[in-house]
Amino acid sequence: MEKASFSSTQGKPIRCKAAILRKAGEPLVMEEIQVDPPRAYEVRIKILCTSLCHTDLTFSKLDNGPLARFPRILGHEAVGVVESIGENVDGFKEGDVVLPVFHPQCEECKDCKSPKSNWCKSFTNDFLSNTRRYGMSSRFKDSSGEDIYHFFFVSSFTEYTVVDIAHLVKISPEIPVHKAALLGCCVSTGVGAVWKVADVEEGSTVAIFGLGAVGLAVAEGARLRGAAKVIGVDLNPDKFEIGKKFGITDFVNPALCGEKKTSQVINDMTEGGVDYSFECIGLASLMEEAFNSTRPGSGKTVVLGMEQKAMPISLGSYDLLRGRTICGTLFGGLKPKLDIPILVDRYLKKELNLDGLITHELKFEEINKAFDLLAEGNTIRCILWMDT
Ligand code: NAD
Ligand code: ZN
């Protein structure tokens, strides 16, 4: 990669292109925006490429409640290069290749110092602010000078963005940037859920509800852990062939189960339930089905899907008494600064397989086409390339 020089822009606002969500459910609009310089603990980065996750799609349609905000710059799976740094920024310098991540790690709070989880007491509870340390203060303005909302502390659908250091991971420049972008959300979430949350053992049986990029990353995690049987559940029959490349051994299409519930079919296939199930769709009814697919006594369900309408789930209290557990996870339980470099390393050692997840590559300007592809189930991940 050609080394960029940013000395002329440091400390000044940058004008660049961004894809703005002006109204729920409408196409994004390409506009020229202003990106302010980073403040203390912040870094301004030039995005090299970004992909699109189902969470972006969910938020693009969300039309009410505190999480629905317009105008907004979505996007949270991306790789960039550091253009400039604010005060009090250690460990990042101009030209570093970086991965912005929606999940924070302050490295100082009780939770960040504990190996028990990837929770960050300092920051994780705040989903609503634009910037981590400055509340609703935004670094983006449109051409009429109005603030534009950030998204999950990343906002990658713009040529430049500003990210807090708690959301930034320096990565090896050896990994191709479009592969690295997937570590910003789907791959880390899926592989991490198997590795850190479920801690799947060799020889286990696994059911994965939803074979999008997150579900396929769960399959890859299960393959790395030596799972014996990996059942994929998806309504899209095309996902079955694709899933085989990621170590899916058996398939269930809920539309073809007749009178039987998916959980009953899985119980029959596994003599009483799988050891681990993962919900990677975002539907409360399937979180319940995933729970009922596990083995009484020891089965564990991990919810990764973000419920598309924030619906509650309902579990049989006796089913719970029978010794099954269920939990949810953000970012697959990974501590970004600690665990992403491990995944990069495993990719470079050819242990972690990321082939086949990127099915499309388009120019940034074609972003609405990428939304359509994902919404229609015709892509796993579509990479959008910024102009270099
Ligand atoms: P995706 O759109 O790429 O894939 C979803 C898959 O589910 C598709 O293959 C689709 O055919 C299948 N599907 C949809 N409805 C179904 C149904 N009723 N029955 C069976 N299969 C069905 O999505 P993705 O980008 O892989 O994301 C999956 C979920 O994970 C989303 O809810 C997303 O918001 C969430 N997510 C959560 C985290 C986290 O930190 N927990 C991180 C990333 C994504
Ligand atoms: Zn995501």
Side-chain angles (χ1 to χ4, degrees):
M1 190 175 49
E2 200 182 316
K3 199 169 181 315
S5 172
F6 297 113
S7 49
S8 60
T9 48
Q10 282 168 10
K12 299 177 198 157
I14 289 180
R15 300 199 73 81
C16 68
K17 265 184 298 183
I20 315 282
L21 178 69
R22 289 250 162 221
K23 206 168 165 216
E26 291 200 348
L28 305 187
V29 189
M30 275 293 171
E31 294 183 24
E32 190 179 275
I33 62 157
Q34 174 178 313
V35 183
D36 288 338
R39 293 203 199 163
Y41 303 101
E42 292 180 341
V43 172
R44 187 163 59 184
I45 66 181
K46 181 182 197 296
I47 297 290
L48 299 173
C49 67
T50 179
S51 57
L52 200 68
C53 161
H54 205 105
T55 309
D56 298 304
L57 197 60
T58 301
F59 274 80
S60 74
K61 292 185 204 153
L62 206 67
D63 59 3
N64 60 59
L67 291 172
R69 297 201 156 148
F70 315 95
R72 190 174 216 179
I73 299 176
L74 297 172
H76 65 281
E77 263 184 10
V79 166
V81 57
V82 173
E83 175 267 344
S84 62
I85 60 171
E87 283 170 26
N88 302 334
V89 171
D90 292 327
F92 297 100
K93 60 177 191 315
E94 182 194 326
D96 282 349
V97 180
V98 285
L99 192 78
V101 281
F102 73 89
H103 196 72
Q105 186 186 347
C106 78
E107 299 182 281
E108 279 157 21
C109 73
K110 190 175 172 214
D111 292 303
C112 278
K113 285 184 175 158
S114 154
K116 280 189 173 174
S117 80
N118 69 342
W119 202 247
C120 167
K121 186 175 171 293
S122 312
F123 294 137
T124 315
N125 278 330
D126 176 12
F127 283 106
L128 296 175
S129 292
N130 279 322
T131 43
R132 259 308 168 204
R133 295 167 216 248
Y134 308 94
M136 293 319 294
S137 163
S138 168
R139 303 287 165 269
F140 304 125
K141 285 190 177 50
D142 70 10
S143 57
S144 55
E146 292 293 317
D147 277 357
I148 305 169
Y149 285 105
H150 290 236
F151 178 62
F152 280 3
F153 308 95
V154 175
S155 289
S156 59
F157 297 161
T158 166
E159 291 174 314
Y160 286 85
T161 189
V162 175
V163 176
D164 192 285
I165 51 167
H167 288 265
L168 206 57
V169 181
K170 187 173 163 173
I171 56 167
S172 161
E174 281 177 54
I175 178 169
V177 289
H178 58 315
K179 296 279 170 80
L182 305 182
L183 298 177
C185 184
C186 61
V187 167
S188 294
T189 298
V191 173
V194 174
W195 170 29
K196 294 281 179 177
V197 185
D199 196 12
V200 170
E201 314 91 354
E202 197 177 340
S204 304
T205 52
V206 173
I208 306 170
F209 286 68
L211 300 180
V214 173
L216 293 171
V218 168
E220 174 62 6
R223 184 190 71 77
L224 286 168
R225 277 296 173 99
K229 193 180 185 82
V230 184
I231 305 169
V233 179
D234 206 296
L235 282 175
N236 178 350
D238 296 344
K239 293 289 167 90
F240 299 170
E241 274 313 305
I242 295 165
K244 285 184 190 164
K245 295 186 201 133
F246 291 86
I248 302 275
T249 56
D250 300 79
F251 300 103
V252 177
N253 184 342
L256 305 178
C257 290
E259 301 280 283
K260 280 191 174 177
K261 289 188 163 186
T262 305
S263 53
Q264 276 174 292
V265 173
I266 292 175
N267 274 279
D268 294 347
M269 288 164 81
T270 53
E271 293 174 37
V274 285
D275 298 314
Y276 299 96
S277 69
F278 297 85
E279 202 277 356
C280 311
I281 297 168
L283 289 172
S285 58
L286 296 179
M287 295 170 191
E288 292 156 25
E289 277 300 283
F291 176 74
N292 290 325
S293 300
T294 58
R295 196 165 202 81
S298 58
K300 183 162 189 176
T301 300
V302 183
V303 172
L304 290 78
M306 182 171 181
E307 222 296 333
Q308 292 163 19
K309 298 204 165 85
M311 297 297 283
I313 60 172
S314 145
L315 304 175
S317 53
Y318 292 179
D319 293 328
L320 200 60
L321 284 183
R322 296 167 81 203
R324 294 159 162 151
T325 54
I326 180 165
C327 68
T329 176
L330 284 172
F331 207 61
L334 299 189
K335 290 184 188 292
K337 289 172 193 277
L338 207 65
D339 296 320
I340 287 175
I342 296 174
L343 291 182
V344 170
D345 200 47
R346 295 197 74 177
Y347 171 80
L348 293 173
K349 286 184 179 147
K350 299 197 183 334
E351 293 167 9
L352 174 69
N353 174 35
L354 302 177
D355 290 347
L357 289 175
I358 298 170
T359 51
H360 296 77
E361 298 186 42
L362 296 173
K363 287 185 187 156
F364 178 43
E365 286 77 3
E366 299 173 289
I367 189 163
N368 287 310
K369 212 158 132 186
F371 266 84
D372 292 344
L373 284 167
L374 189 66
E376 289 155 12
N378 290 328
T379 183
I380 298 172
R381 278 298 186 259
C382 176
I383 294 286
L384 297 159
W385 288 100
M386 305 290 169
D387 294 337
T388 43

